[in-house]
Amino acid sequence: MTTALAPELNIARPAADAAATASATVVSAPALLVEHVTKRFRPDRRKPPVLAIDNVSLRLERGTIHGFLGANGSGKSTLIRLVSGLLTLDEGRVEVFGLDIERDELAVKRLINRVSVDAAFFKKLSPMENLLFAARLYGMDAAVARREATAILGRLGIAKNRLGRPIEQMSRGMQQKVAIARALLTSPTLLLLDEPTTGLDPRSKLDVQAFIEEVNQSHDATIVLTTHDLAEAERLCERITLLNGGRVVAEGTTPELKRMVAERHGQPETLEAVFMTLTGRSLDDDVEEDGDNND
Amino acid sequence: MTVLASELKASYAFVERNFFLTRRYWGWELAFLVYSVAGALSISLIGAAAGDNRLLLTLIIGAVFWNYLSVVFSWIADTIAVERWEGTLEYTFMAPVRRWTQLLGSCLYAMAYGLVHTAAMLLVLVLFFPQLRPESMNLLTAASFVLLGSFSFVGIGMMAAILPLLYVERGAQMTFVIQSCLLLVSGVYYPVSVLPGWMQVIANVSPATYVLRGVRAGLLDGTPVTALVGDMLPLVGMGIVLIPAGLWAFGRAEKYAKRTGKLKRVG
Ligand SMILES: Nc1ncnc2c1ncn2[C@@H]1O[C@H](COP(=O)(O)OP(=O)(O)OP(=O)(O)O)[C@@H](O)[C@H]1O
Ligand SMILES: [Mg+2]
């Protein structure tokens, strides 16, 4: 539905680094390969560990938008953190464009970025100061970063005159847009979006969704998206993985999943039925633990 | 070479960001300077009351040095603490920068800030005590020791940064425990010889001991730096050991945090 980005939005790659990593990546490799990954948390030694991710395997082809759906606590964010290198793998391995995330850590880091549900910033600093810091970490030039940041934020509906004031003065939705801009600024080829539109008003949500499509199409970026908005998942995602209790319970295109639920369970052909059927809470032990996990 | 250049560029990101923070909070920085000056003055006045210029200068050096270390340590610890608190540390850790680049940038800014802050303080103290005679001091000696000692303090600072990394609520304050113990055994306001024997043993492995001794020799006696090589060598050695040790320890703490999921606060 969207056309190419306006010329001024032609997001520059962090020059030399990206070229170097591009040559290192394996051309035919999938964008993301997750093989038998397991992650346990053990906040309390006297209790058994929480199995947050349980033997998950996935393969994401290049250029797709791939959704992770699942109930609260099903392991979506944990899986994204594992791919981001913010958590170490207990078992299994992960490859990004053919590069092992542990062995080729720095090269992988140049290729990915992430937006989480909360907009984490130095709240006293302005959006521009925050974005400039992020851009420099990825080796971008300050002048280029300023120009790109202004363009991306403008595209997301943040006026220029807000860029110099402390970020704490912005609404939650506006902060979330700045967080999205921070991720896009570094031109990731694998973009991990963890509930990027949660808390946005309907118009902002549409803005962001259109932008996600734009980035996917015009920059050939592969996108992982978690969301609790099923309409959003249906609109954006070519394929969807359903997680339940840290395990993959289904994977496929939206029509495939709908048909499966209709045929096997006699449910209506909607994504909501898919979600309700496949993520029925069998998480009694998890609920019990939730009480002590509220740190 | 290009790797080094790009890592240094990334280091600058931390310097610049911390400068933005200082700029945003400049009113507080000024208030903090007043607090530091008042603290140093009140300790130094003990020397003035005794009518002993040597004691006065000994105390000034102790107070100024205490301030320098406080400032350096609190910057290193606080930036990690704030990043943990705000959740930005997850983004910083995802960026393609090596950990030493990040810590180097933080430490460089902390030291630059500490030097400016301490110089401002020193200026006030010199104006306040006209009986001091700066022309008989050897500033080169003092500066050399502070510079050499800074390498060790960077190493210790990296280890101190582990505390806010793992304990977001109280970690930053805990770094002051490290700092005060360090200064206690290093003879901050008194000669090391008045300490009990076991503390003197620890004093020998504290870089602050050598820095304080060197600075005092330079400022009290005008000793040239060439006469103090014996005190400089241990500092060189400690720098060589402590910086890699600090990096190693921070790396271990980071691994631990990533294994146990301690980096996350929200989402
Ligand atoms: N850092 C952590 N320490 C301890 N337990 C954790 C940690 N992170 C996640 N968990 C546990 O792992 C499980 C999966 O959590 P995760 O955050 O991945 O869920 P989610 O699918 O993203 O949920 P939501 O939809 O609420 O965002 C939960 O049981 C949670 O308590
Ligand atoms: Mg989540």
Side-chain angles (χ1 to χ4, degrees):
Chain A
M1 67 147 270
T2 36
T3 53
L5 292 172
E8 72 271 19
L9 262 179
N10 234 325
I11 304 169
R13 292 236 171 275
D17 293 345
T21 36
S23 62
T25 60
V26 182
V27 179
S28 59
L32 176 64
L33 188 69
V34 175
E35 281 188 334
H36 305 293
V37 165
T38 295
K39 181 73 193 173
R40 296 180 194 86
F41 291 112
R42 190 159 205 171
D44 187 342
R45 284 189 183 282
R46 284 160 299 177
K47 291 192 184 156
V50 179
L51 196 52
I53 292 293
D54 183 2
N55 193 20
V56 165
S57 296
L58 287 171
R59 186 189 168 94
L60 263 69
E61 294 309 327
R62 289 171 185 233
T64 52
I65 303 183
H66 193 105
F68 288 171
L69 297 186
N72 295 132
S74 55
K76 304 178 297 292
S77 301
T78 303
L79 189 53
I80 285 190
R81 282 201 172 84
L82 286 164
V83 173
S84 313
L86 294 170
L87 290 171
T88 49
L89 309 167
D90 285 354
E91 285 157 38
R93 62 192 201 100
V94 174
E95 276 184 9
V96 173
F97 295 100
L99 299 169
D100 187 278
I101 60 161
E102 284 172 346
R103 255 200 338 265
D104 310 303
E105 190 185 340
L106 279 185
V108 169
K109 282 177 165 174
R110 286 194 191 97
L111 301 174
I112 60 182
N113 215 327
R114 160 177 166 269
V115 177
S116 69
V117 62
D118 66 306
F121 286 110
F122 278 76
K123 299 283 195 300
K124 283 279 175 207
L125 296 184
S126 69
M128 196 48 103
E129 286 166 338
N130 273 291
L131 292 188
L132 198 56
F133 171 62
R136 279 196 193 278
L137 291 185
Y138 285 77
M140 283 178 82
D141 217 45
V144 178
R146 274 178 208 281
R147 202 171 57 232
E148 299 295 341
T150 313
I152 297 172
L153 285 170
R155 172 68 182 74
L156 289 171
I158 306 270
K160 225 175 178 164
N161 63 6
R162 303 226 48 150
L163 303 187
R165 279 187 270 154
I167 228 166
E168 63 182 4
Q169 292 174 14
M170 295 180 129
S171 74
R172 204 183 104 59
M174 290 163 95
Q175 293 186 15
Q176 188 63 8
K177 288 181 179 181
V178 181
I180 292 168
R182 168 172 58 196
L184 294 176
L185 195 56
T186 64
S187 310
T189 39
L190 177 64
L191 183 57
L192 308 164
L193 302 174
D194 194 353
E195 299 184 40
T197 59
T198 299
L200 297 188
D201 71 60
R203 188 188 312 277
S204 298
K205 214 172 204 179
L206 283 179
D207 281 348
V208 170
Q209 289 170 355
F211 197 50
I212 290 172
E213 283 181 319
E214 219 172 283
V215 169
N216 169 241
Q217 284 163 17
S218 54
H219 292 279
D220 200 25
T222 310
I223 295 174
V224 172
L225 175 78
T226 81
T227 179
H228 291 298
D229 179 343
L230 297 178
E232 174 172 292
E234 190 148 15
R235 169 179 170 181
L236 293 177
C237 302
E238 279 152 61
R239 295 185 77 83
I240 289 175
T241 296
L242 272 115
L243 288 171
N244 193 28
R247 268 189 296 265
V248 175
V249 287
E251 210 260 343
T253 63
T254 325
E256 277 168 15
L257 292 171
K258 285 186 193 168
R259 221 175 309 121
M260 196 233 333
V261 168
E263 284 167 11
R264 285 200 212 156
H265 301 272
Q267 295 286 330
E269 277 201 32
T270 61
L271 199 53
E272 192 180 352
V274 171
F275 186 92
M276 293 302 177
T277 313
L278 296 176
T279 66
R281 286 186 66 88
S282 58
L283 300 169
D284 304 323
D285 38 22
D286 201 45
V287 172
E288 189 193 301
E289 261 138 16
D290 273 354
D292 344 281
N293 279 354
N294 293 335
D295 54 337
Chain B
M1 204 59 226
T2 52
V3 174
L4 188 66
S6 73
E7 291 295 325
L8 285 179
K9 238 174 101 180
S11 274
Y12 178 70
F14 294 92
V15 175
E16 183 184 61
R17 189 212 44 208
N18 289 354
F19 171 71
F20 288 155
L21 282 169
T22 306
R23 194 171 61 178
R24 185 71 66 190
Y25 290 104
W26 69 269
W28 288 112
E29 305 295 346
L30 221 57
F32 180 51
L33 185 61
V34 172
Y35 162 81
S36 312
V37 168
L41 266 181
S42 46
I43 288 170
S44 308
L45 281 166
I46 298 172
D52 180 347
N53 272 358
R54 209 176 156 82
L55 177 62
L56 172 63
L57 198 52
T58 301
L59 292 175
I60 288 180
I61 292 166
V64 165
F65 196 62
W66 184 290
N67 179 70
Y68 176 70
L69 273 195
S70 306
V71 168
V72 169
F73 275 30
S74 65
W75 259 105
I76 296 172
D78 281 351
T79 40
I80 297 276
V82 175
E83 286 223 51
R84 269 289 266 125
W85 191 263
E86 300 275 24
T88 56
L89 197 61
E90 286 200 322
Y91 292 89
T92 307
F93 276 5
M94 272 188 69
V97 290
R98 291 178 174 83
R99 208 54 66 223
W100 67 261
T101 314
Q102 172 182 359
L103 292 168
L104 178 73
S106 290
C107 291
L108 279 180
Y109 185 79
M111 275 162 32
Y113 181 96
L115 285 177
V116 172
H117 195 263
T118 308
M121 223 174 112
L122 204 54
L123 185 71
V124 175
L125 288 170
V126 169
L127 293 176
F128 199 89
F129 296 110
Q131 63 267 49
L132 296 178
R133 297 181 37 252
E135 61 280 1
S136 64
M137 300 175 185
N138 193 325
L139 291 175
L140 181 67
T141 301
S144 311
F145 271 89
V146 171
L147 191 71
L148 260 185
S150 293
F151 291 103
S152 303
F153 297 133
V154 165
I156 298 172
M158 290 172 179
M159 294 182 205
I162 293 173
L163 291 169
L165 177 71
L166 298 181
Y167 310 100
V168 59
E169 279 84 8
R170 285 278 170 269
Q173 280 104 313
M174 288 306 288
T175 59
F176 290 119
V177 178
I178 300 181
Q179 178 214 331
S180 51
C181 292
L182 195 67
L183 288 171
L184 171 69
V185 299
S186 308
V188 60
Y189 296 124
Y190 37 79
V192 171
S193 56
V194 305
L195 294 170
W198 62 272
M199 275 196 181
Q200 293 192 30
V201 175
I202 306 176
N204 281 328
V205 292
S206 159
T209 306
Y210 299 92
V211 175
L212 280 163
R213 201 187 290 160
V215 170
R216 291 214 167 101
L219 299 188
L220 289 171
D221 306 323
T223 314
V225 74
T226 43
L228 294 166
V229 175
D231 275 337
M232 293 184 117
L233 287 179
L235 278 180
V236 173
M238 287 185 207
I240 290 173
V241 172
L242 285 171
I243 289 186
L247 274 173
W248 177 82
F250 193 88
R252 286 298 299 259
E254 182 183 341
K255 278 228 176 67
Y256 169 79
K258 286 179 172 174
R259 188 159 50 77
T260 52
K262 286 227 188 298
L263 291 179
K264 154 189 143 91
R265 268 188 88 76
V266 221

